[in-house]
Amino acid sequence: MTRRLLLSYLSLILLVLLALEVPFGYVYARGQLSRFSNAAQQGAAMLAEVFEEKVEDGAAADIADLARRYARRTGSRVLVTDRKGLVLTDTARATAVGTDLSARPDIAHALRHRPTSGTGRDPAVHGDAFSATVPGTSGPKVRCAVRVVSSLAALQGKIHDAWLALAGVGLGVLAAVTFIASALARWITRPVRALEHATAQLADGSLTDPPATDFGPPELRRLACAFTRTASRLQHLLRAQEAFASEASHQLKTPLTSLRLRLENFEPHLDPRVQPSLDEAVAEVERLSRMVQGLLALARLENSGTTPEAVDLDAVVADRAATWTAFAAESYVDITVTGPRLGSVLAVPGGLEQIVDNLLSNALRVSPPGTSITLARAHGPDGPELHVIDQGPGMTEAERNRAFDRFWRASDADHDGTGLGLPIVQRLTRAGGGDVTLRPAPERGLDAVIRLSPAEQSRIAPARRSRTATAPRSR
């Protein structure tokens, strides 16, 4: 932002300088050329009057001396012809005396009483030159023609120096404006940088260095005050929510465990006919316990600002497949791992293990005996992919669209699920920079596709092993 402000200031000043200096330089150059040409024409006209008198008095011998002295004084070339166009003198000695120049356009015009002037090249003068050809007249009669050629080198050098001076002034102004604009831009953006730093701290979970509110423009000071109040309020709410999650984790476990024990203690004293009702009550208590655990897990995920780290996907898949093989064998279901090795991916600490556990738990719950669950690794168009494919009844498109809603369960699902397993999977996957979708399996069943972000090999973290599968058994 500082560079953009500085660039805007300099662009504006540059436009102002160009709008002022370019016209001024152009007008100055035109004025200098106009004064130079007027002076040259006046000098030529004065010489023509003097030479006309000399010719009329019969003192043509003095013309050459007068022309040389004028040429030395002004640094110009003087050429004089008589009324017939014959050269009387040429200070540059480029044209011999007596040469007929009556056919030259400027001499011909002067002999017809019409003065001419203009710029161009002259063999006797280096570079550009200004020439003025005027008639020497006495009344209507032309007695001679005078051509004065003046070099424009000095004038062009003066104009060049003027442009250099303007450029120097412009650069000086730009340098001064750059210094002032840099200080002004830093003064303006300093509160913005402080807000950016504070926002980054708040995003990481704790605002330890709030932005100062005593410097910068008034608008930014008010913004810093509002941000500080908002951040303080958010931190207070986050701390309250975290405290609630922590307290609820301890306060709810004990009553639910106690309630389950009390229900189980009733079993010897109840009539056998009410045994099914007791079993249903115990099952509901267990489901409530799992639901509480799932809600607390979601709360911890939403409140945490854990940075994703590199995890070896192949090691995690092998570890979880080995762990769940024993559970699957009890239901006569096989677990197979296929596909190429994918290396390291980004995931929150312990998150990839929980993702695989939840999906395997759901797949195992719906898999009929004699089927298999496949953990298929693949290189997807957007990065590494892990497919958890079961051979169960699958889901309709409408059910797949709602599967990640909290507490949602399929209409034909049993009652031991909480509807929080897939929302936890989605939250963990997105926390690592990936995503999860549900698709129909190629033959039958459901294909849970986990898209992950690749990570550098140097950042690989060891896979976290879980002793038992404790993922919520719910879609």
Side-chain angles (χ1 to χ4, degrees):
M1 184 176 179
T2 302
R3 290 194 297 271
R4 288 193 291 270
L5 284 175
L6 182 59
L7 182 61
S8 63
Y9 294 150
L10 292 181
S11 300
L12 179 61
I13 294 300
L14 183 60
L15 289 176
V16 173
L17 289 175
L18 290 176
L20 293 176
E21 290 191 349
V22 171
F24 178 80
Y26 178 76
V27 170
Y28 175 80
R30 296 287 296 178
Q32 290 294 322
L33 180 60
S34 177
R35 283 191 292 271
F36 183 87
S37 60
N38 290 336
Q41 290 173 348
Q42 290 176 2
M46 292 175 59
L47 281 178
E49 292 180 3
V50 173
F51 293 155
E52 184 271 332
E53 292 178 358
K54 295 294 183 181
V55 172
E56 185 180 6
D57 295 341
D62 297 335
I63 292 177
D65 182 58
L66 289 173
R68 283 193 299 271
R69 282 188 290 171
Y70 182 84
R72 283 196 302 268
R73 187 174 73 252
T74 60
S76 59
R77 175 193 179 188
V78 180
L79 185 146
V80 184
T81 68
D82 61 9
R83 59 186 180 84
K84 296 181 180 180
L86 301 177
V87 175
L88 298 177
T89 184
D90 183 3
T91 58
R93 299 179 181 180
T95 308
V97 176
T99 303
D100 187 3
L101 299 180
S102 59
R104 291 187 56 167
D106 54 345
I107 299 297
H109 282 83
L111 293 177
R112 289 195 294 270
H113 212 289
R114 293 199 298 270
T116 59
S117 62
T119 58
R121 294 280 181 171
D122 190 277
V125 178
H126 296 290
D128 295 332
F130 178 83
S131 64
T133 306
V134 297
T137 62
S138 178
K141 188 175 182 180
V142 177
R143 298 185 184 277
C144 65
V146 179
R147 184 171 187 266
V148 178
V149 181
S150 304
S151 174
L152 292 176
L155 176 64
Q156 290 175 341
K158 188 175 181 180
I159 294 175
H160 183 263
D161 292 341
W163 279 111
L164 288 179
L166 289 175
V169 171
L171 290 177
V173 171
L174 284 177
V177 170
T178 300
F179 176 77
I180 297 173
S182 298
L184 181 62
R186 287 194 296 269
W187 178 72
I188 292 175
T189 58
R190 184 181 174 187
V192 178
R193 292 194 299 271
L195 283 171
E196 180 183 10
H197 178 68
T199 303
Q201 287 186 340
L202 185 61
D204 292 336
S206 176
L207 179 61
T208 58
D209 188 15
T213 58
D214 56 352
F215 61 84
E219 295 82 359
L220 292 180
R221 291 201 297 268
R222 291 194 294 269
L223 177 60
C225 292
F227 174 83
T228 302
R229 291 196 301 270
T230 303
S232 300
R233 178 63 176 167
L234 286 176
Q235 285 184 301
H236 173 72
L237 293 175
L238 287 175
R239 285 193 295 268
Q241 188 173 0
E242 291 173 357
F244 169 78
S246 177
E247 292 173 0
S249 176
H250 291 78
Q251 297 297 327
L252 292 177
K253 287 180 181 179
T254 302
L256 290 173
T257 303
S258 177
L259 178 59
R260 178 179 176 179
L261 291 176
R262 288 179 180 272
L263 290 175
E264 291 177 348
N265 290 335
F266 286 156
E267 184 175 6
H269 309 287
L270 294 178
D271 189 285
R273 292 175 294 178
V274 300
Q275 184 65 39
S277 298
L278 178 62
D279 294 339
E280 292 178 359
V282 173
E284 286 297 323
V285 172
E286 292 179 351
R287 178 172 173 270
L288 181 59
S289 298
R290 291 195 300 272
M291 185 177 297
V292 169
Q293 293 296 329
L295 288 173
L296 293 177
L298 280 175
R300 285 192 294 268
L301 285 174
E302 292 172 350
N303 293 334
S304 65
T306 306
T307 302
E309 63 181 28
V311 179
D312 191 340
L313 174 62
D314 304 301
V316 171
V317 170
D319 174 68
R320 303 321 301 156
T323 300
W324 279 89
T325 297
F327 294 94
E330 296 176 358
S331 302
Y332 304 98
V333 176
D334 294 332
I335 295 180
T336 59
V337 179
T338 64
R341 296 183 62 85
L342 300 179
S344 61
V345 296
L346 288 178
V348 297
L352 188 56
E353 292 86 342
Q354 295 184 51
I355 293 171
V356 178
D357 284 345
N358 274 271
L359 293 178
L360 285 176
S361 174
N362 287 338
L364 182 60
R365 183 176 61 84
V366 298
S367 295
T371 60
S372 64
I373 300 173
T374 304
L375 294 174
R377 298 168 297 192
H379 292 284
D382 299 324
E385 291 182 354
L386 177 63
H387 298 250
V388 180
I389 306 172
D390 62 55
Q391 296 178 353
M395 289 184 176
T396 64
E397 182 178 0
E399 290 174 340
R400 292 196 302 272
N401 292 334
R402 294 199 57 193
F404 294 102
D405 295 343
R406 295 185 182 184
F407 303 110
W408 181 88
R409 292 182 300 152
S411 58
D412 57 348
D414 53 31
H415 291 280
D416 65 348
T418 62
L420 294 175
L422 287 178
I424 291 177
V425 168
Q426 185 183 59
R427 183 66 182 85
L428 285 170
T429 307
R430 291 181 176 177
D435 202 0
V436 58
T437 56
L438 299 179
R439 302 175 183 172
E443 296 181 359
R444 64 170 182 169
L446 193 66
D447 179 7
V449 183
I450 309 166
R451 289 185 294 274
L452 301 164
S453 299
E456 299 177 1
Q457 292 294 330
S458 59
R459 299 173 55 195
I460 296 178
R464 290 170 171 76
R465 296 181 176 268
S466 300
R467 294 184 179 178
T468 58
T470 59
R473 298 174 57 86
S474 168
R475 292 188 188 274

